Amino acid sequence: MSSDLTCPSCGYSFDKNYNISSEISRLLKARNKKTIKYLNKIASKVTSNLPFETRINYFRFLFGIQSIEDHVVEWGIEQYYQKRYYTSGKGFAYLRKIIQNRNQNIGVLKKNERSMLGSPPPVIEFNE
């Protein structure tokens, strides 16, 4: 019987020895500049307000959202920041779940938004 110590949510392997600093750099380099700015800002807020949040937790957070598009990550960070969840003890795992849930539901949310707003009016061309 092998012990599989992999997170079912993000795929992080607890068996593997990661070089945290180089992995964080690698995961950040895959993002655009605006997203990196968002990630750095929120990491600073979380780690300064929640002493239990460490670099390894930040790495696990980045690892868990590595396959999610930048606009979804930015949206999740914005929601987390506006609601100031970092002041109520909700750390990287909570933020990761906000982002993952948004990513999972984005197709349905867009469809619902379109049906709520309707479609744009047709273009009418005048012939003079």
Side-chain angles (χ1 to χ4, degrees):
M1 183 175 162
S2 69
S3 63
D4 185 26
L5 298 173
T6 303
C7 175
S9 178
C10 67
Y12 177 84
S13 175
F14 293 93
D15 294 347
K16 191 175 176 184
N17 286 328
Y18 293 100
N19 179 338
I20 302 300
S21 295
S22 68
E23 287 293 318
I24 288 174
S25 293
R26 179 185 65 81
L27 291 167
L28 286 174
K29 282 179 187 166
R31 300 283 178 187
N32 70 41
K33 287 181 182 180
K34 183 180 176 189
T35 308
I36 292 170
K37 187 177 169 186
Y38 270 65
L39 288 165
N40 287 335
K41 182 178 179 180
I42 208 64
S44 147
K45 285 285 184 193
V46 171
T47 53
S48 63
N49 284 280
L50 304 169
F52 62 87
E53 290 292 8
T54 60
R55 282 179 57 74
I56 193 151
N57 291 351
Y58 181 51
F59 163 60
R60 288 177 184 154
F61 161 72
L62 290 173
F63 190 91
I65 63 165
Q66 67 184 326
S67 62
I68 298 174
E69 291 182 31
D70 287 345
H71 68 92
V72 178
V73 172
E74 290 168 14
W75 181 91
I77 291 172
E78 192 63 43
Q79 297 303 307
Y80 180 87
Y81 185 73
Q82 284 179 0
K83 293 185 172 91
R84 298 172 51 89
Y85 286 128
Y86 54 87
T87 61
S88 56
K90 294 175 174 142
F92 289 123
Y94 192 82
L95 175 56
R96 185 186 76 237
K97 211 59 194 160
I98 289 173
I99 293 168
Q100 287 175 335
N101 286 340
R102 175 69 176 194
N103 189 55
Q104 194 173 17
N105 299 325
I106 200 155
V108 175
L109 293 170
K110 282 184 179 177
K111 182 180 160 239
N112 292 344
E113 190 176 288
R114 271 192 217 101
S115 67
M116 237 173 37
L117 298 173
S119 61
V123 176
I124 299 172
E125 293 182 21
F126 294 102
N127 293 328
E128 293 182 26

